[in-house]
């Protein structure tokens, strides 16, 4: 995703989208691996996944996924070692709603040469991180 990618909220306002995670810890032609850490009450910026991805929980946490389209928030528990697969698309925000630190690795499965090195394109849905 480019630094200036935007999405439109239900009220018509523009929302600047952020990256999928805080830092890339590995990348090659097939995958990009992000590190994500959220302290209790902390949240990621709005983002969209441009590639299918896996989320691997390195520390258990209770999280909330809020879709930008105004849909119902999803409350999810991500157990230590849990793995979730998701398709790209939905603009969403992840919030650590528990009292423990959340830590995960998000593995983007690159599907084309159009993937941005900053990981700005993202997806979500289902249990676990989006």
């Amino acid at each position: 995703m480019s630094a200036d990618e935007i999405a439109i909220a239900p009220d018509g306002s523009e929302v600047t989208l952020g990256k999928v995670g805080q830092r890339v810890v590995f990348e090659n032609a097939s995958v990009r691996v992000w590190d994500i850490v959220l302290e209790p009450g902390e949240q990621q910026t709005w983002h969209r996944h441009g590639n299918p991805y896996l989320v691997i929980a390195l520390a258990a946490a209770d999280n909330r996924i809020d879709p930008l389209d105004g849909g119902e928030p999803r409350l999810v528990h991500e157990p230590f070692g849990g793995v979730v697969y998701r398709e790209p698309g939905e603009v969403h925000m992840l919030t650590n709603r528990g009292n423990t630190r959340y830590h995960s690795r998000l593995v983007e499965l690159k599907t084309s040469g159009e993937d941005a090195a900053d990981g700005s394109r993202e997806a979500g849905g289902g249990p676990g991180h989006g």
Side-chain angles (χ1 to χ4, degrees):
M1 150 186 140
S2 65
D4 61 351
E5 184 177 355
I6 60 166
I8 305 300
D11 66 2
S13 63
E14 292 184 351
V15 176
T16 301
L17 302 182
K19 296 179 181 180
V20 175
Q22 284 105 355
R23 67 187 177 100
V24 174
V25 295
F26 177 84
E27 184 169 9
N28 66 21
S30 300
V31 300
R32 180 180 304 119
V33 181
W34 291 89
D35 191 55
I36 300 169
V37 175
L38 296 175
E39 298 298 334
E42 190 176 8
Q43 58 189 194
Q44 283 185 298
T45 59
W46 292 106
H47 61 277
R48 175 181 19 245
H49 300 264
N51 298 305
Y53 63 99
L54 298 163
V55 179
I56 304 162
L58 302 179
D62 291 310
N63 294 320
R64 187 177 84 203
I65 300 169
D66 290 289
L68 182 63
D69 68 6
E72 288 296 316
R74 296 182 300 279
L75 303 180
V76 297
H77 175 73
E78 296 191 45
F80 168 75
V83 179
V84 176
Y85 170 83
R86 297 230 171 75
E87 291 290 336
E90 175 189 69
V91 174
H92 62 273
M93 177 186 298
L94 180 72
T95 302
N96 180 345
R97 65 181 180 89
N99 56 12
T100 60
R101 180 184 213 219
Y102 173 62
H103 187 195
S104 70
R105 292 286 164 88
L106 188 146
V107 180
E108 287 184 90
L109 306 173
K110 295 181 179 182
T111 57
S112 74
E114 299 178 281
D115 299 323
D118 68 2
S120 63
R121 292 160 28 185
E122 310 158 72
H129 166 76

